[in-house]
C-alpha cells in the first residue's frame, strides 16, 4: 500500500488551483488531463485560476482544479500502463494496490484527493472532467443519463450525448455520478488545436455562472461564445452503436470525419483487420479514433426525440414496474440494479429500459445487469441551487 506521506506530496503537485470565495457556496471540482495527451484543460484551468486570484470577494463557494494523469501528462501520452479513465469501479477500488501499474498509483492518489475534498467541504458538489478528442469537433458534453445530470446540463448551449456509460467501462465520472453527484465530461476540441484551451476556458466560466459561483451576467459572453461554437446543435443525442478496437487489432478510420458528421446507410466508416465496416443505418458519427492509443474506434449517435425526453422524465419514478416484465427481476445484492434474461426479454427493446433510467452495466452469459442512477442521485442537495 502506498504511504500516506507520498500521497500528500504528489497530491500537492496534482492541484492546479484552489480558490474559496468570501461567500459560502457550492464546491466545484475540475479534473484535466486524465488522458495525458490532452493538456488543454490543464492550461485553461491555470489561466482561469490566475484570472480569479484577486477576485475572492466576487466568488461564492470553492473551485478546485486538479490534474488527472500526472505521469502521462509529463510524457504527453494518453496513458502509461492502462487507461486511467477506464478503471473506476467499486470492485477495482477495493482491490489491493498494484505497484506495477502507473495508473493504479494515479488512481489511488486521485481518489484520496477526491475523498479529502468530500470530507473537508460542505457541498453541494459538482464534478467536471475536461477532455479533447483525436478528431475535429465542436465542443460537446458526455453525460451519464440521470435526471439530475440532465437537469443541470440543459443549461449549456451545446450538444449533450447521453448514455456513454453503457459503452465505456470505468470512466471516472460514471463512478462519481453513481455516488449521486452532478458529474459529466466536457470535450473542448481536437488535441492539437490551439483553440481547445480557450474553449475550455469558456466552458469553465459558463459553469461558474450556472452554479452561481460567479454572477451569470459576468460570464454571459463566455456562454454566448459556447453557443456559437456549438453551431446550434444544442440537442440531446443517444449512442446506439459502438466499435470496440481490441488491443493488437489493425484499425483504420476513414480519414477526415468530423465529430457529429452525418453518415448514410452503407457508408464506409473504417477498416478493421482488412474488413470494411459500413454504417448499418443513417446516423451521425461520434468520436472517431485518429490516434494510436485507445480502444474506442467510433460511436454512432442520433438525436433523442423530445417526446422521449419528456416521457422518461415523468415515468422514471415508476421504474420498479419493470420487474413485473417476464425475464426481468430485481438484483437482491444491489437495489439500483435489475437482471434481465436476454432469452426471455429479447422482445423488449433497450429503449424501454433507458426510458425508466436503466443502462446496461454488464453482460454475464445471457443476463444483462442494468443499473439505475436515479436511486443514488443526491437531488435534494441541489434544491437551493440557482439552476434547479
Ligand atoms: Zn480524453
Amino acid at each position: 500500500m502506498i504511504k500516506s506521506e507520498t500521497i500528500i506530496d504528489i497530491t500537492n503537485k496534482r492541484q492546479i488551483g484552489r480558490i474559496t470565495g468570501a461567500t459560502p457556496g457550492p464546491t466545484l471540482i475540475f479534473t484535466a488531463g486524465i488522458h495525458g495527451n490532452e493538456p488543454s484543460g490543464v492550461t485553461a484551468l491555470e489561466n482561469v485560476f490566475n484570472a480569479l486570484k484577486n477576485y475572492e470577494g466576487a466568488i461564492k463557494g470553492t473551485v478546485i482544479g486538479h490534474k488527472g494523469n500526472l505521469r502521462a501528462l509529463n510524457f504527453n501520452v494518453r496513458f502509461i500502463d492502462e487507461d486511467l479513465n477506464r478503471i473506476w469501479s467499486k470492485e477495482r477500488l477495493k482491490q489491493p494496490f498494484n505497484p506495477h501499474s502507473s495508473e493504479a498509483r494515479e488512481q489511488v492518489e486521485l481518489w484520496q484527493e477526491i475523498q479529502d475534498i468530500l470530507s473537508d467541504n460542505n457541498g453541494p458538489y459538482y464534478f467536471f472532467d475536461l477532455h479533447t478528442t483525436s478528431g475535429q469537433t465542436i465542443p460537446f458534453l458526455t453525460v451519464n443519463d440521470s435526471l439530475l445530470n440532465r437537469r443541470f446540463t440543459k443549461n449549456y448551449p451545446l450538444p449533450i450525448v447521453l448514455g456513454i456509460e453503457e459503452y465505456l467501462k470505468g470512466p471516472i465520472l460514471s463512478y462519481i455520478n453513481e455516488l449521486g453527484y452532478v458529474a459529466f465530461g466536457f470535450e473542448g476540441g481536437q488535441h492539437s488545436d490551439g483553440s481547445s484551451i480557450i474553449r475550455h476556458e469558456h466552458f469553465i466560466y459558463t459553469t461558474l455562472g450556472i452554479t452561481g459561483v460567479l454572477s451569470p451576467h459576468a460570464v454571459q459572453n463566455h456562454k454566448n461564445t459556447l453557443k456559437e461554437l456549438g453551431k446550434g446543435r444544442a440537442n440531446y443525442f443517444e449512442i446506439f452503436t459502438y466499435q470496440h478496437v481490441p488491443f493488437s487489432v489493425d484499425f483504420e478510420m476513414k480519414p477526415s470525419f468530423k465529430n457529429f458528421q452525418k453518415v448514410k446507410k452503407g457508408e464506409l466508416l473504417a477498416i478493421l483487420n482488412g474488413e470494411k465496416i459500413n454504417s448499418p443505418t443513417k446516423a451521425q458519427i461520434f468520436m472517431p479514433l485518429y490516434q494510436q492509443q485507445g480502444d474506442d474506434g467510433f460511436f454512432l449517435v442520433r438525436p433523442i426525440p423530445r417526446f422521449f425526453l419528456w416521457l422518461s422524465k415523468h415515468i422514471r419514478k415508476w421504474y420498479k414496474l419493470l420487474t413485473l416484465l417476464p425475464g426481468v427481476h430485481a438484483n437482491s445484492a444491489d437495489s439500483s440494479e435489475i437482471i434481465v434474461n436476454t432469452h426471455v426479454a429479447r422482445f423488449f427493446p433497450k429503449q424501454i429500459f433507458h426510458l425508466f433510467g436503466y443502462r446496461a452495466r454488464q453482460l454475464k452469459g445471457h443476463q444483462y445487469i442494468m443499473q439505475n442512477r436515479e436511486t443514488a442521485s443526491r437531488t435534494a442537495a441541489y434544491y437551493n441551487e440557482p439552476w434547479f
Side-chain angles (χ1 to χ4, degrees), residues 48-176:
V48 172
F49 279 109
N50 268 332
L52 289 181
K53 67 184 173 204
N54 298 320
Y55 293 95
E56 279 97 340
I59 293 169
K60 206 174 140 184
T62 297
V63 185
I64 299 164
H66 51 217
K67 293 178 192 169
N69 196 334
L70 279 181
R71 295 157 184 92
L73 276 164
N74 280 342
F75 291 103
N76 194 33
V77 290
R78 184 173 167 95
F79 57 83
I80 292 171
D81 295 307
E82 54 186 332
D83 191 330
L84 181 59
N85 207 27
R86 299 289 181 275
I87 57 175
W88 293 82
S89 67
K90 277 182 205 147
E91 296 79 20
R92 169 86 185 218
L93 286 167
K94 270 188 226 150
Q95 276 172 21
F97 171 67
N98 168 11
H100 303 296
S101 162
S102 175
E103 277 72 25
R105 189 175 288 271
E106 298 282 343
Q107 186 180 33
V108 169
E109 293 162 6
L110 199 49
W111 184 227
Q112 183 64 54
E113 176 154 331
I114 291 169
Q115 286 175 299
D116 289 347
I117 293 169
L118 291 172
S119 63
D120 296 347
N121 295 272
N122 294 321
Y125 298 97
Y126 298 85
F127 291 84
F128 312 94
D129 198 17
L130 308 181
H131 288 261
T132 48
T133 57
S134 58
Q136 279 187 50
T137 186
I138 56 172
F140 63 95
L141 309 180
T142 52
V143 177
N144 284 352
D145 187 13
S146 70
L147 293 178
L148 179 64
N149 260 349
R150 270 198 216 173
R151 187 160 181 164
F152 181 74
T153 55
K154 76 175 183 199
N155 294 291
Y156 294 89
L158 292 173
I160 296 167
V161 180
L162 290 178
I164 201 156
E165 67 270 35
E166 197 158 56
Y167 298 91
L168 301 186
K169 196 172 156 268
I172 185 170
L173 286 182
S174 290
Y175 183 72
I176 291 173

Side-chain angles (χ1 to χ4, degrees), residues 26 28 30 48 52 58-60 63 126 128 152 155-157 200-224 226 384-388:
L28 275 55
F30 292 88
V48 172
L52 289 181
I59 293 169
K60 206 174 140 184
V63 185
Y126 298 85
F128 312 94
F152 181 74
N155 294 291
Y156 294 89
H200 277 109
E201 290 178 31
H202 293 312
F203 170 77
I204 297 163
Y205 282 116
T206 301
T207 303
L208 300 183
I210 296 168
T211 51
V213 169
L214 290 177
S215 137
H217 297 294
V219 297
Q220 187 61 41
N221 57 332
H222 294 283
K223 193 170 181 177
N224 294 346
L226 273 191
N384 296 322
E385 291 294 280
W387 53 273
F388 200 92

